[in-house]
């Protein structure tokens, strides 16, 4: 996926000291590089959808019949909520190093507050929050740039795919 000025501007925080609400900086070759506030907002949007998928009652889950393109042009049954939650979890597990995955697991999956996480990980408050921001930035970039189907924006993940 290519970063566009419109997308980073809409996701940027106005109070961000690094980009001052612009959301991007020009790279060395003229390409747009997103600010960390943009990457964190992408992660928060995907995490909110993950929480909604996990909190939903299992008997409420919908089964969808989607068309997938390619040579075979076949149709498949799927449970989008469960697939999204599994993709979110597996992408995090594959892309984070062991320490950052522990931070992700304790703080986001298990819901522990920062005090409990600091005690369990044996780090101080500053190190913990730096690790949380690093997790958000890393996963935000991956969720956006993932191909062929990214996790961001979540509404496109849940839309019927016509190939």
């Amino acid at each position: 996926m290519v970063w566009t000025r419109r997308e980073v501007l809409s996701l940027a925080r106005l109070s961000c000291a690094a980009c001052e609400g612009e959301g991007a900086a020009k790279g060395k070759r003229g390409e747009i590089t997103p600010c960390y506030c943009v990457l964190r907002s992408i992660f928060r949007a995907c995490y909110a959808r993950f929480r909604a998928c996990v909190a939903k009652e299992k008997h409420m889950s919908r089964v969808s019949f989607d068309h997938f393109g390619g040579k075979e042009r076949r149709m498949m049954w799927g449970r989008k909520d469960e697939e999204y939650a599994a993709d979110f979890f597996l992408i995090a597990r594959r892309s984070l190093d062991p320490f950052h995955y522990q931070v992700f697991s304790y703080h986001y999956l298990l819901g522990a507050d920062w005090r409990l996480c600091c005690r369990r990980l044996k780090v101080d408050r500053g190190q913990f929050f730096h690790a949380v921001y690093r997790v958000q930035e890393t996963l935000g970039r991956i969720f956006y740039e993932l191909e062929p189907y990214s996790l961001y924006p979540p509404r496109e993940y849940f839309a019927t795919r016509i190939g």
Side-chain angles (χ1 to χ4, degrees):
M1 299 283 283
V2 178
W3 294 95
T4 62
R5 189 78 160 159
R6 187 181 89 199
E7 289 172 344
V8 296
L9 188 60
S10 66
L11 293 168
R13 292 182 61 124
L14 294 175
S15 62
C16 179
C19 68
E20 297 176 351
E22 292 291 317
K26 288 282 185 180
K28 293 179 182 177
R29 298 184 204 130
E31 74 275 0
I32 294 174
T33 58
C35 180
Y36 295 128
C37 67
V38 171
L39 299 175
R40 288 192 298 265
S41 67
I42 289 171
F43 173 80
R44 284 192 299 269
C46 293
Y47 180 63
R49 187 58 184 243
F50 169 77
R51 296 283 302 202
C53 291
V54 170
K56 189 183 282 187
E57 294 289 332
K58 295 304 166 212
H59 66 274
M60 300 281 294
S61 179
R62 286 186 298 149
V63 177
S64 60
F65 192 59
D66 295 329
H67 177 267
F68 288 88
K71 295 177 189 174
E72 300 165 2
R73 306 198 48 86
R74 62 183 182 175
M75 303 287 283
M76 290 184 67
W77 291 98
R79 292 180 178 250
K80 296 286 189 170
D81 292 333
E82 287 82 357
E83 291 171 8
Y84 189 85
D87 286 344
F88 185 89
F89 170 74
L90 291 173
I91 290 167
R93 189 172 71 184
R94 290 178 187 146
S95 59
L96 296 173
D97 60 76
F99 173 71
H100 287 100
Y101 179 72
Q102 279 186 322
V103 170
F104 172 78
S105 178
Y106 293 153
H107 189 61
Y108 291 107
L109 297 180
L110 299 175
D113 68 340
W114 68 270
R115 288 180 186 90
L116 182 61
C117 290
C118 289
R119 215 174 321 134
R120 180 78 175 150
L121 297 169
K122 296 178 178 63
V123 296
D124 65 358
R125 181 176 179 237
Q127 290 173 325
F128 172 73
F129 281 106
H130 280 292
V132 166
Y133 293 149
R134 179 61 55 127
V135 166
Q136 290 178 353
E137 293 159 7
T138 303
L139 292 179
R141 181 179 299 276
I142 291 170
F143 291 160
Y144 182 81
E145 294 176 348
L146 188 67
E147 291 192 1
Y149 305 110
S150 65
L151 293 185
Y152 182 83
R155 70 181 179 286
E156 288 183 13
Y157 186 93
F158 289 88
T160 303
R161 299 179 188 131
I162 307 262

